[in-house]
């Protein structure tokens, strides 16, 4: 990793470098799973601080949606999305033993956007636009949800925040993480940036795709629906990916990869369908 310290001029470089080395650590956020995710990650932001800031940011988003009468307006739709989540959340334990015990929240926001996300600690939001405009099946919703949950399991936002610190994007977040500069409240702004403004890398997206099909399969949802989902989204976006998938690999490459990994986890899906009854 190449560190850029230009913005740190005027500070004691030796002391700061020592602090950064202390704060930076290599972590293994998840088990490999059937899809074989093995990459280790460099982190400078603590997992606890990221979850705390994400929770505060999430509650702020929900509050704003509530003020606009855009929060959980359709009970049947909300129940449907939450029912799918109830089947996927237990499967997170195959990647992280602690994840099923997270304080999960699942809400539906009324918006025309083709969007969905899951913040650190299991804070999920689905936008009505992606459900209604694409006429999603439960399997396709599970494909999206599995993908987004995978981002949270792998702590991709935390990783992006850590990278931002050393590329002069998250100066205030760096101060919060190292105990210098502004208070930890600045981390909330950093979480918003890495969650919504800075795109995921293709590496992150590929990891989330592969883990997502496994989560869906373990929850009893057909992992092959990830391919049909992408076909729908590509068509809705005139061949270009929507904002939700702005940094994904090319259409053909992604479909081939999803098909390959969906086939790999089909035995998990077949096992799950034998024991999982539809959630009503």
């Amino acid at each position: 990793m190449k560190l850029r310290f230009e913005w740190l001029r005027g500070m004691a470089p030796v002391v700061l470098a020592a602090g950064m080395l202390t704060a930076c650590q290599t972590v293994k956020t998840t088990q490999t799973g059937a899809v074989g995710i093995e990459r280790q990650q460099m982190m400078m932001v603590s997992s606890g601080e990221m979850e705390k800031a994400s929770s505060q940011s999430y509650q702020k988003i929900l509050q704003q949606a509530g003020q606009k009468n855009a929060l959980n307006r359709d009970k049947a739709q909300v129940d449907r999305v939450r029912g799918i989540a109830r089947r996927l959340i237990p499967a997170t334990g195959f990647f992280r033993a602690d994840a099923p015990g997270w304080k999960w929240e699942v809400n539906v926001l009324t918006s025309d956007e083709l969007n969905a996300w899951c913040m650190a600690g299991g804070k999920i939001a689905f936008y009505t636009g992606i459900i209604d405009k694409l006429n999603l099946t439960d399997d396709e919703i599970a494909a999206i949800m599995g993908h987004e949950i995978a981002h949270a399991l792998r702590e991709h936002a935390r990783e992006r925040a850590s990278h931002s610190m050393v590329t002069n994007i998250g100066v205030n977040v760096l101060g919060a993480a190292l105990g210098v500069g502004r208070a930890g409240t600045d981390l909330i702004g950093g979480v918003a940036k890495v969650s919504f403004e800075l795109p995921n890398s293709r590496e992150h997206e590929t990891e989330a795709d592969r883990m997502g099909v496994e989560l869906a399969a373990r929850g009893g949802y057909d992992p092959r629906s990830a391919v049909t989902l992408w076909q729908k989204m590509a068509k809705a976006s005139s061949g270009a990916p929507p904002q939700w998938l702005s940094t994904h690999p090319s259409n053909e490459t992604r479909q081939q990869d999803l098909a390959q990994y969906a086939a790999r986890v089909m035995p998990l899906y077949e096992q799950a369908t034998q024991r999982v009854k539809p959630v009503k």
Side-chain angles (χ1 to χ4, degrees):
M1 183 185 300
K2 183 179 180 181
L3 304 184
R4 294 174 56 193
F5 291 101
E6 292 88 345
W7 54 276
L8 296 174
R9 291 175 182 171
M11 302 183 71
V14 175
V15 174
L16 184 61
M20 292 185 73
L21 288 173
T22 300
C24 189
Q25 57 180 321
T26 302
V27 301
K28 181 180 180 181
T29 55
T30 60
Q31 300 301 312
T32 58
V35 293
I37 304 299
E38 298 181 350
R39 183 179 65 90
Q40 293 195 333
Q41 299 156 278
M42 297 294 293
M43 302 294 194
M44 293 181 67
V45 180
S46 76
S47 180
E49 283 298 316
M50 198 72 190
E51 288 186 20
K52 179 180 178 181
S54 293
S55 179
Q56 293 182 39
S57 181
Y58 186 72
Q59 295 307 318
K60 182 177 180 180
I61 291 169
L62 295 186
Q63 182 181 23
Q64 292 173 343
Q67 292 172 349
K68 298 176 182 178
N69 192 29
L71 177 63
N72 298 329
R73 291 179 59 181
D74 185 333
K75 183 179 184 302
Q77 191 174 62
V78 173
D79 289 345
R80 181 188 181 200
V81 173
R82 287 178 175 172
I84 294 169
R86 283 196 294 272
R87 284 171 53 175
L88 264 59
I89 289 170
T92 63
F94 288 95
F95 288 103
R96 293 183 59 140
D98 65 322
W102 286 355
K103 296 180 180 179
W104 293 87
E105 295 185 55
V106 184
N107 290 282
V108 177
L109 308 181
T110 300
S111 170
D112 289 335
E113 290 185 49
L114 302 182
N115 204 6
W117 40 265
C118 179
M119 300 180 78
K123 309 304 182 186
I124 297 173
F126 260 76
Y127 290 36
T128 56
I130 199 168
I131 300 173
D132 298 336
K133 289 184 178 180
L134 301 186
N135 191 27
L136 296 180
T137 65
D138 285 1
D139 291 320
E140 289 166 343
I141 291 177
I144 295 174
M145 190 177 295
H147 175 102
E148 293 305 316
I149 288 175
H151 278 309
L153 295 176
R154 289 289 290 164
E155 300 190 58
H156 284 153
R158 179 185 170 201
E159 187 177 11
R160 292 200 308 279
S162 299
H163 288 180
S164 296
M165 294 176 187
V166 295
T167 55
N168 201 21
I169 298 177
V171 179
N172 290 338
V173 184
L174 175 62
L178 298 181
V180 297
R182 295 185 180 181
T185 54
D186 286 331
L187 186 57
I188 298 174
V191 167
K193 180 179 288 293
V194 299
S195 296
F196 306 113
E197 298 176 24
L198 300 180
N200 288 305
S201 69
R202 289 190 177 185
E203 185 173 45
H204 288 179
E205 294 292 350
T206 298
E207 289 180 350
D209 275 348
R210 295 174 181 179
M211 290 177 63
V213 295
E214 180 169 343
L215 289 169
R218 289 188 182 279
Y221 294 101
D222 191 337
R224 295 168 296 188
S225 294
V227 178
T228 63
L229 167 67
W230 170 250
Q231 292 169 344
K232 283 185 177 182
M233 289 189 293
K235 183 178 180 180
S237 305
S238 301
Q243 180 182 0
W244 179 66
L245 296 172
S246 60
T247 57
H248 273 234
S250 67
N251 190 357
E252 291 185 4
T253 299
R254 183 166 185 267
Q255 288 191 46
Q256 291 172 359
D257 193 72
L258 282 169
Q260 176 185 346
Y261 280 84
R264 182 181 294 191
V265 300
M266 278 300 292
L268 299 176
Y269 167 61
E270 292 166 357
Q271 293 171 15
T273 55
Q274 295 176 8
R275 68 174 185 271
V276 176
K277 295 181 180 180
V279 176
K280 297 181 179 180

